[in-house]
Amino acid sequence: MNYQTPSLTAGLGRAMVALAARPAGMAGLLTAQGFAVEQDVDLLHLARRLDSPTRHSRSLRNGRVAVARFTGPAPAGH
């Protein structure tokens, strides 16, 4: 899953999303739906690992990719 983390220049309209759009928050949401997060990395780190251009480092730093494996149905009540 690719998702954006809040940046310092983001508007206040993202305040509610900001709580879930952090690595721990996203892991919690995925876990609650029956997924096990195996890796969560920012796009800047990923681009550097792949030797890809990183000119837009601010955007890449705020974008993230979470790799999760479905482990079973979500717990009851979620």
Side-chain angles (χ1 to χ4, degrees), residues 2-68:
N2 178 332
Y3 66 101
Q4 290 290 118
T5 57
S7 71
L8 295 176
T9 58
L12 293 175
R14 291 175 155 180
M16 294 301 287
V17 175
L19 296 174
R22 298 188 189 282
M26 185 58 66
L29 289 174
L30 290 168
T31 300
Q33 297 303 313
F35 290 86
V37 177
E38 296 184 352
Q39 193 171 23
D40 188 317
V41 60
D42 66 67
L43 295 178
L44 181 59
H45 177 80
L46 186 58
R48 287 179 176 157
R49 276 186 21 197
L50 297 173
D51 199 26
S52 184
T54 58
R55 278 177 285 168
H56 304 287
S57 63
R58 181 179 297 163
S59 175
L60 291 172
R61 191 176 300 113
N62 292 327
R64 300 192 67 84
V65 173
V67 177

